[in-house]
Amino acid sequence: MKTVALIAGVILLAFGLLFAGQGSGIIMWPASSFMLAARIWIVYGLGIAALGAALLWWSRRR
């Protein structure tokens, strides 16, 4: 179970940071994305990244 949480945590953290980067306009890829420079995606992305970080923390506990 903890291995699944670790993998899901890494994926959620990566996607959350990507979404926040696209929402802030730092990452302008792909050019056809509707998330580019849309500020609400910063909030969504950071929330997703926080969930991923929490899963990582939980999966690494002894």
Side-chain angles (χ1 to χ4, degrees):
M1 184 64 183
K2 287 196 175 198
T3 303
V4 172
L6 176 70
I7 293 168
V10 168
I11 291 169
L12 284 172
L13 182 63
F15 275 102
L17 293 175
L18 174 66
F19 294 168
Q22 286 180 327
S24 65
I26 295 172
I27 301 172
M28 298 299 281
W29 173 85
S32 62
S33 177
F34 60 91
M35 290 188 266
L36 299 179
R39 299 272 180 197
I40 192 65
W41 282 100
I42 298 171
V43 176
Y44 294 156
L46 291 178
I48 293 168
L51 180 61
L55 277 173
L56 284 173
W57 172 79
W58 181 80
S59 71
R60 301 295 294 163
R61 285 182 45 210
R62 295 180 193 240

Coordinates of all heavy atoms in Angstrom, one line a residue:
M1 N 0.8 -1.2 0.0 CA 0.0 0.0 0.0 C 0.9 1.3 0.0 O 0.5 2.2 -0.7 CB -0.9 -0.1 1.2 CG -1.9 1.1 1.3 SD -3.0 1.0 -0.1 CE -4.0 2.4 0.2
K2 N 1.9 1.2 0.8 CA 2.8 2.4 0.8 C 3.5 2.6 -0.5 O 3.8 3.8 -0.8 CB 3.8 2.3 2.0 CG 3.0 2.5 3.3 CD 4.0 2.7 4.5 CE 3.2 3.0 5.7 NZ 4.0 3.7 6.7
T3 N 3.8 1.6 -1.2 CA 4.5 1.7 -2.5 C 3.5 2.4 -3.5 O 4.0 3.3 -4.2 CB 4.9 0.4 -3.1 OG1 5.8 -0.3 -2.1 CG2 5.6 0.5 -4.4
V4 N 2.3 2.1 -3.4 CA 1.3 2.7 -4.3 C 1.2 4.2 -3.9 O 1.1 5.1 -4.8 CB -0.1 2.0 -4.2 CG1 -1.2 2.8 -5.0 CG2 0.0 0.6 -4.7
A5 N 1.1 4.5 -2.6 CA 1.1 5.9 -2.2 C 2.3 6.7 -2.6 O 2.2 7.8 -2.9 CB 0.9 5.9 -0.7
L6 N 3.5 6.0 -2.6 CA 4.7 6.7 -3.0 C 4.6 7.1 -4.5 O 4.9 8.2 -4.8 CB 5.9 5.8 -2.7 CG 7.2 6.3 -3.2 CD1 7.7 7.5 -2.3 CD2 8.3 5.2 -3.1
I7 N 4.2 6.1 -5.3 CA 4.1 6.4 -6.7 C 3.1 7.4 -7.0 O 3.3 8.4 -7.8 CB 3.8 5.1 -7.5 CG1 5.0 4.1 -7.4 CG2 3.5 5.3 -8.9 CD1 4.7 2.7 -7.8
A8 N 1.9 7.3 -6.4 CA 0.8 8.3 -6.6 C 1.3 9.7 -6.1 O 1.0 10.7 -6.7 CB -0.4 7.9 -5.9
G9 N 2.0 9.7 -5.0 CA 2.5 11.0 -4.5 C 3.5 11.7 -5.4 O 3.4 12.9 -5.6
V10 N 4.4 10.9 -6.0 CA 5.3 11.5 -7.0 C 4.6 12.1 -8.2 O 4.9 13.2 -8.6 CB 6.4 10.5 -7.4 CG1 7.2 10.9 -8.6 CG2 7.3 10.1 -6.2
I11 N 3.6 11.3 -8.7 CA 2.9 11.7 -9.9 C 2.0 13.0 -9.6 O 2.1 13.9 -10.3 CB 2.0 10.6 -10.4 CG1 2.9 9.5 -11.0 CG2 1.0 11.1 -11.4 CD1 2.1 8.2 -11.3
L12 N 1.3 13.0 -8.4 CA 0.5 14.1 -8.1 C 1.4 15.4 -7.8 O 1.0 16.5 -8.2 CB -0.3 13.8 -6.8 CG -1.5 12.9 -7.0 CD1 -2.1 12.5 -5.7 CD2 -2.5 13.6 -7.9
L13 N 2.5 15.2 -7.2 CA 3.4 16.3 -6.9 C 3.9 16.9 -8.3 O 3.9 18.1 -8.5 CB 4.6 15.9 -6.1 CG 5.6 17.0 -5.7 CD1 4.9 18.1 -4.9 CD2 6.8 16.4 -5.0
A14 N 4.3 16.0 -9.2 CA 4.8 16.5 -10.5 C 3.7 17.2 -11.3 O 4.0 18.3 -11.8 CB 5.4 15.3 -11.3
F15 N 2.6 16.6 -11.4 CA 1.5 17.2 -12.1 C 1.0 18.5 -11.5 O 0.7 19.5 -12.1 CB 0.3 16.3 -12.3 CG 0.5 15.4 -13.5 CD1 0.9 14.1 -13.3 CD2 0.2 15.8 -14.8 CE1 1.0 13.2 -14.4 CE2 0.4 15.0 -15.8 CZ 0.8 13.7 -15.7
G16 N 0.9 18.6 -10.1 CA 0.5 19.8 -9.4 C 1.5 20.9 -9.7 O 1.1 22.1 -10.0
L17 N 2.8 20.7 -9.7 CA 3.8 21.7 -10.0 C 3.7 22.1 -11.5 O 3.8 23.3 -11.8 CB 5.2 21.2 -9.6 CG 5.4 21.0 -8.2 CD1 6.8 20.5 -7.9 CD2 5.2 22.3 -7.4
L18 N 3.4 21.2 -12.4 CA 3.2 21.5 -13.8 C 2.0 22.4 -13.9 O 2.1 23.4 -14.6 CB 3.1 20.3 -14.6 CG 2.7 20.5 -16.1 CD1 3.9 21.2 -16.8 CD2 2.4 19.2 -16.8
F19 N 0.9 22.1 -13.3 CA -0.3 22.9 -13.4 C -0.1 24.3 -12.9 O -0.5 25.3 -13.5 CB -1.5 22.2 -12.7 CG -1.9 20.9 -13.3 CD1 -2.8 20.1 -12.6 CD2 -1.5 20.5 -14.5 CE1 -3.2 18.9 -13.1 CE2 -1.9 19.3 -15.1 CZ -2.8 18.5 -14.4
A20 N 0.6 24.4 -11.7 CA 0.9 25.7 -11.1 C 1.8 26.5 -12.0 O 1.6 27.7 -12.2 CB 1.5 25.5 -9.7
G21 N 2.8 25.8 -12.6 CA 3.7 26.5 -13.5 C 3.0 27.0 -14.8 O 3.2 28.1 -15.3
Q22 N 2.1 26.2 -15.3 CA 1.3 26.7 -16.5 C 0.3 27.8 -16.1 O 0.2 28.8 -16.8 CB 0.5 25.5 -17.0 CG 1.3 24.5 -17.8 CD 0.5 23.4 -18.3 OE1 -0.5 23.0 -17.8 NE2 0.9 22.9 -19.5
G23 N -0.3 27.7 -14.9 CA -1.2 28.8 -14.5 C -0.5 30.1 -14.3 O -1.1 31.1 -14.5
S24 N 0.7 30.1 -13.8 CA 1.4 31.3 -13.5 C 2.1 31.8 -14.8 O 2.6 33.0 -14.8 CB 2.5 31.1 -12.4 OG 3.5 30.2 -12.9
G25 N 2.1 31.1 -15.8 CA 2.8 31.5 -17.1 C 4.3 31.2 -17.1 O 4.9 31.6 -18.1
I26 N 4.8 30.5 -16.2 CA 6.2 30.1 -16.2 C 6.5 29.1 -17.2 O 7.5 29.1 -17.9 CB 6.7 29.7 -14.8 CG1 6.6 30.9 -13.8 CG2 8.1 29.1 -14.8 CD1 6.8 30.5 -12.4
I27 N 5.6 28.1 -17.2 CA 5.7 27.0 -18.2 C 4.6 27.2 -19.3 O 3.4 27.1 -19.0 CB 5.5 25.6 -17.5 CG1 6.5 25.4 -16.4 CG2 5.5 24.5 -18.5 CD1 6.3 24.2 -15.5
M28 N 5.0 27.5 -20.5 CA 4.1 27.8 -21.5 C 4.1 26.6 -22.5 O 4.3 26.8 -23.7 CB 4.5 29.1 -22.3 CG 4.4 30.3 -21.3 SD 2.8 30.6 -20.7 CE 2.0 31.4 -22.1
W29 N 3.9 25.4 -22.0 CA 3.8 24.2 -22.8 C 2.7 23.4 -22.4 O 2.5 23.3 -21.2 CB 5.2 23.5 -22.7 CG 5.2 22.2 -23.3 CD1 5.5 21.9 -24.6 CD2 4.9 20.9 -22.7 NE1 5.4 20.5 -24.9 CE2 5.0 19.9 -23.7 CE3 4.5 20.5 -21.4 CZ2 4.8 18.6 -23.4 CZ3 4.3 19.2 -21.2 CH2 4.4 18.2 -22.2
P30 N 2.0 22.7 -23.2 CA 1.9 22.8 -24.7 C 1.2 24.1 -25.0 O 0.4 24.6 -24.3 CB 1.2 21.6 -25.1 CG 0.3 21.2 -24.0 CD 1.1 21.6 -22.7
A31 N 1.5 24.6 -26.2 CA 0.9 25.9 -26.6 C -0.6 25.9 -26.7 O -1.2 27.0 -26.6 CB 1.5 26.3 -28.0
S32 N -1.2 24.8 -26.9 CA -2.7 24.7 -27.0 C -3.4 24.5 -25.7 O -4.6 24.4 -25.7 CB -3.0 23.5 -28.0 OG -2.6 22.3 -27.4
S33 N -2.7 24.5 -24.6 CA -3.3 24.2 -23.3 C -4.2 25.4 -22.8 O -3.8 26.6 -23.0 CB -2.2 24.0 -22.2 OG -2.8 23.8 -20.9
F34 N -5.3 25.1 -22.2 CA -6.2 26.1 -21.7 C -5.8 26.6 -20.4 O -6.3 27.6 -19.9 CB -7.6 25.5 -21.6 CG -7.7 24.3 -20.7 CD1 -8.0 24.5 -19.4 CD2 -7.6 23.0 -21.2 CE1 -8.1 23.4 -18.5 CE2 -7.7 22.0 -20.4 CZ -8.0 22.1 -19.0
M35 N -4.8 26.0 -19.8 CA -4.3 26.4 -18.4 C -3.3 27.5 -18.5 O -2.9 28.0 -17.4 CB -3.7 25.2 -17.7 CG -4.7 24.1 -17.3 SD -4.0 22.9 -16.3 CE -3.5 21.6 -17.5
L36 N -2.8 27.8 -19.6 CA -1.7 28.8 -19.7 C -2.1 30.2 -19.2 O -3.1 30.7 -19.7 CB -1.1 28.9 -21.1 CG -0.6 27.6 -21.7 CD1 -0.1 27.8 -23.1 CD2 0.6 27.1 -20.9
A37 N -1.4 30.7 -18.2 CA -1.7 32.0 -17.7 C -3.1 32.2 -17.1 O -3.6 33.3 -17.1 CB -1.3 33.1 -18.7
A38 N -3.7 31.1 -16.7 CA -5.0 31.1 -16.1 C -4.7 31.0 -14.6 O -4.4 29.9 -14.1 CB -5.9 30.0 -16.6
R39 N -4.8 32.1 -13.8 CA -4.4 32.1 -12.4 C -5.1 31.1 -11.5 O -4.5 30.6 -10.5 CB -4.7 33.5 -11.8 CG -3.9 34.6 -12.5 CD -2.6 34.8 -11.9 NE -1.9 35.8 -12.6 CZ -0.6 36.0 -12.5 NH1 0.1 35.2 -11.8 NH2 0.0 36.9 -13.2
I40 N -6.3 30.6 -11.8 CA -6.9 29.7 -11.0 C -6.2 28.3 -10.9 O -6.2 27.6 -9.9 CB -8.4 29.4 -11.4 CG1 -9.2 28.6 -10.4 CG2 -8.5 28.8 -12.8 CD1 -9.4 29.3 -9.0
W41 N -5.4 28.0 -12.0 CA -4.7 26.8 -12.0 C -3.5 26.8 -11.1 O -2.9 25.8 -10.8 CB -4.3 26.5 -13.5 CG -5.4 25.9 -14.2 CD1 -6.3 26.5 -15.0 CD2 -5.9 24.6 -14.0 NE1 -7.3 25.7 -15.4 CE2 -7.1 24.5 -14.8 CE3 -5.5 23.5 -13.3 CZ2 -7.8 23.3 -14.9 CZ3 -6.3 22.3 -13.4 CH2 -7.4 22.2 -14.2
I42 N -3.0 28.0 -10.7 CA -2.0 28.1 -9.6 C -2.6 27.5 -8.3 O -1.9 26.6 -7.7 CB -1.6 29.5 -9.4 CG1 -0.9 30.1 -10.6 CG2 -0.6 29.6 -8.2 CD1 -0.7 31.6 -10.5
V43 N -3.8 27.8 -8.0 CA -4.4 27.3 -6.8 C -4.7 25.8 -6.9 O -4.3 25.1 -6.0 CB -5.7 28.1 -6.5 CG1 -6.5 27.5 -5.3 CG2 -5.5 29.6 -6.3
Y44 N -5.2 25.4 -8.0 CA -5.5 24.0 -8.2 C -4.2 23.2 -8.2 O -4.1 22.1 -7.6 CB -6.2 23.7 -9.5 CG -7.6 24.3 -9.6 CD1 -8.2 24.6 -10.9 CD2 -8.4 24.5 -8.5 CE1 -9.5 25.0 -11.0 CE2 -9.7 25.0 -8.6 CZ -10.2 25.3 -9.8 OH -11.5 25.7 -9.9
G45 N -3.2 23.7 -8.9 CA -1.9 23.0 -8.9 C -1.2 22.9 -7.6 O -0.7 21.8 -7.2
L46 N -1.3 23.9 -6.8 CA -0.6 23.9 -5.5 C -1.4 22.9 -4.6 O -0.8 22.2 -3.7 CB -0.5 25.3 -4.9 CG 0.5 26.2 -5.6 CD1 0.5 27.6 -5.0 CD2 1.9 25.6 -5.6
G47 N -2.7 22.9 -4.7 CA -3.5 21.9 -3.9 C -3.2 20.5 -4.3 O -3.0 19.6 -3.4
I48 N -3.0 20.2 -5.6 CA -2.7 18.9 -6.0 C -1.3 18.5 -5.6 O -1.0 17.4 -5.1 CB -2.8 18.8 -7.6 CG1 -4.3 18.9 -8.0 CG2 -2.2 17.5 -8.1 CD1 -4.5 19.1 -9.5
A49 N -0.4 19.5 -5.7 CA 1.0 19.2 -5.2 C 1.1 19.0 -3.7 O 1.8 18.1 -3.3 CB 1.9 20.4 -5.6
A50 N 0.3 19.7 -2.9 CA 0.2 19.5 -1.5 C -0.3 18.1 -1.2 O 0.2 17.4 -0.3 CB -0.6 20.5 -0.8
L51 N -1.3 17.6 -1.9 CA -1.8 16.3 -1.7 C -0.7 15.2 -2.0 O -0.5 14.3 -1.3 CB -3.0 16.0 -2.6 CG -3.7 14.7 -2.5 CD1 -4.2 14.4 -1.1 CD2 -4.8 14.6 -3.5
G52 N 0.0 15.5 -3.1 CA 1.1 14.6 -3.5 C 2.2 14.6 -2.4 O 2.7 13.5 -2.1
A53 N 2.5 15.7 -1.9 CA 3.6 15.8 -0.8 C 3.1 15.1 0.4 O 3.9 14.4 1.1 CB 3.9 17.3 -0.5
A54 N 1.8 15.2 0.8 CA 1.3 14.5 1.9 C 1.3 13.0 1.7 O 1.7 12.2 2.7 CB -0.2 14.9 2.2
L55 N 1.0 12.5 0.5 CA 1.2 11.1 0.2 C 2.6 10.6 0.3 O 2.9 9.5 0.8 CB 0.6 10.8 -1.1 CG -0.9 10.6 -1.3 CD1 -1.3 10.4 -2.7 CD2 -1.4 9.4 -0.5
L56 N 3.5 11.4 -0.2 CA 4.9 11.1 -0.1 C 5.4 11.0 1.4 O 6.1 10.1 1.8 CB 5.8 12.1 -0.8 CG 5.8 12.1 -2.3 CD1 6.6 13.2 -2.9 CD2 6.5 10.8 -2.7
W57 N 5.0 12.0 2.2 CA 5.3 12.0 3.6 C 4.7 10.7 4.3 O 5.5 10.1 5.0 CB 4.8 13.3 4.3 CG 4.9 13.3 5.7 CD1 6.0 13.5 6.4 CD2 3.9 12.9 6.7 NE1 5.8 13.4 7.8 CE2 4.5 13.0 8.0 CE3 2.6 12.6 6.6 CZ2 3.8 12.8 9.1 CZ3 1.9 12.3 7.7 CH2 2.5 12.4 9.0
W58 N 3.5 10.4 4.0 CA 2.9 9.3 4.6 C 3.5 8.0 4.2 O 3.7 7.1 5.0 CB 1.4 9.2 4.3 CG 0.7 8.0 4.9 CD1 0.3 7.9 6.2 CD2 0.4 6.8 4.3 NE1 -0.3 6.7 6.4 CE2 -0.2 6.0 5.3 CE3 0.6 6.3 3.0 CZ2 -0.6 4.7 5.0 CZ3 0.2 5.0 2.7 CH2 -0.4 4.2 3.7
S59 N 3.9 7.9 2.9 CA 4.5 6.6 2.4 C 5.9 6.4 3.0 O 6.4 5.3 3.0 CB 4.5 6.6 0.9 OG 5.4 7.5 0.4
R60 N 6.6 7.5 3.4 CA 7.9 7.4 3.9 C 8.0 7.2 5.4 O 9.1 7.0 5.9 CB 8.8 8.6 3.4 CG 8.8 8.8 1.9 CD 9.5 7.8 1.2 NE 10.9 7.8 1.6 CZ 11.8 6.8 1.4 NH1 11.5 5.7 0.8 NH2 13.1 7.0 1.8
R61 N 6.9 7.3 6.1 CA 6.9 7.1 7.5 C 7.2 5.7 7.8 O 6.8 4.8 7.1 CB 5.5 7.5 8.1 CG 5.3 8.9 8.2 CD 4.0 9.3 8.8 NE 3.7 8.5 10.0 CZ 2.5 8.2 10.4 NH1 1.4 8.6 9.7 NH2 2.3 7.5 11.5
R62 N 7.7 5.4 9.0 CA 8.0 4.0 9.4 C 6.9 3.4 10.1 O 6.1 3.9 10.7 CB 9.2 4.0 10.3 CG 10.5 4.5 9.6 CD 11.6 4.5 10.5 NE 12.7 5.2 9.9 CZ 13.9 4.7 9.6 NH1 14.1 3.5 9.9 NH2 14.8 5.4 9.0

